[in-house]
Amino acid sequence: MRGGQGPSSLTHVHPTTNIVILWLPRKIPFIGFKRAKQLALEAICTADLTDIVEPHTINNQKESTKDAAIAAWAERWHQSPLTSKAYQMALTMPPDGKPHHTFQLTTAHNQEDEPKVKFSCLTHSTLYRFITGHAFMGEYTQCFFPQHTQDQIACQCGEPLQTIEHVLFHCPFFTAARRRHLTVSGRPRSFPQLLENPKRVQSLLRFLEETRACNKPRAEWEPG
């Protein structure tokens, strides 16, 4: 009924008209069923599909909003200078809507009979400090504390500048742990390669959990 008028309002306009609403089972023969079907088919054949707007469900709205957010994020990624450590180490590809390997399930086992391993919050924090360049090592001290001394940026093994690559791939203090965890799936040559897939991320977390490398500041490095 057009104009939002119901039976009660129509009685004021057409007081002599009586409206009766009946329900009939489909099995009862009634000419109105055939007429309704005919009108529906005519509407389908003559309708302009370009003017039809499908109703948006909640799931459709969520998906479209997610796609728009990912597209905007990817555009921003391409326009950014990508100079920070996070972009150079982990966010090396534009966003695609999937969680990064470092955010995926962090309990893994290589064999069915091997128990799952859970990593501490400190280990996860150290991992993200490595990614962002804010780990407690000489490279960080050199960047953020200009008044540092040579001893404050050197590695305890004697390397003049303690860097992420030195700790993960070269420091003799971690040789045994490195062989156990970081060379199982091939020998990565750079830190970004350790973040390429979930299996290598798991290995890196195991390495950091066991060695506790750079997870806390050395007392003599703390600013006075």
Side-chain angles (χ1 to χ4, degrees), residues 205-221:
L205 286 169
R206 291 174 185 270
F207 173 84
L208 296 176
E209 182 83 8
E210 178 179 328
T211 62
R212 300 183 180 274
C214 306
N215 64 357
K216 293 183 180 180
R218 290 160 56 178
E220 59 268 29
W221 289 16

Side-chain angles (χ1 to χ4, degrees), residues 85 89 139 163-171 190-192:
K85 283 282 188 179
M89 299 298 182
E139 187 177 25
T163 64
I164 294 176
E165 287 74 13
H166 171 74
V167 171
L168 295 177
F169 303 110
H170 306 294
C171 183
S190 66
F191 181 44

Side-chain angles (χ1 to χ4, degrees), residues 102 106-107 117-129 202 204-213 215-216:
T102 57
T106 53
T107 56
V117 178
K118 293 184 178 180
F119 304 101
S120 65
C121 292
L122 180 59
T123 298
H124 286 288
S125 299
T126 303
L127 172 63
Y128 292 115
R129 290 192 185 108
Q202 299 295 331
L204 177 55
L205 286 169
R206 291 174 185 270
F207 173 84
L208 296 176
E209 182 83 8
E210 178 179 328
T211 62
R212 300 183 180 274
N215 64 357
K216 293 183 180 180

Side-chain angles (χ1 to χ4, degrees), residues 109-213:
H109 54 284
N110 297 328
Q111 299 178 357
E112 292 183 359
D113 57 346
E114 184 179 350
K116 294 183 179 180
V117 178
K118 293 184 178 180
F119 304 101
S120 65
C121 292
L122 180 59
T123 298
H124 286 288
S125 299
T126 303
L127 172 63
Y128 292 115
R129 290 192 185 108
F130 270 55
I131 292 174
T132 58
H134 287 72
F136 300 117
M137 60 179 59
E139 187 177 25
Y140 172 84
T141 303
Q142 184 185 54
C143 179
F144 291 97
F145 298 96
Q147 303 304 321
H148 62 269
T149 65
Q150 184 59 39
D151 292 339
Q152 291 175 325
I153 65 173
C155 182
Q156 292 173 309
C157 72
E159 180 70 18
L161 180 61
Q162 185 189 44
T163 64
I164 294 176
E165 287 74 13
H166 171 74
V167 171
L168 295 177
F169 303 110
H170 306 294
C171 183
F173 287 172
F174 308 123
T175 299
R178 185 179 303 115
R179 290 175 178 173
R180 278 193 297 271
H181 304 299
L182 300 187
T183 61
V184 175
S185 303
R187 186 178 295 274
R189 300 182 181 276
S190 66
F191 181 44
Q193 288 182 352
L194 289 175
L195 307 176
E196 286 180 346
N197 57 64
K199 188 174 182 179
R200 283 188 169 177
V201 172
Q202 299 295 331
S203 299
L204 177 55
L205 286 169
R206 291 174 185 270
F207 173 84
L208 296 176
E209 182 83 8
E210 178 179 328
T211 62
R212 300 183 180 274

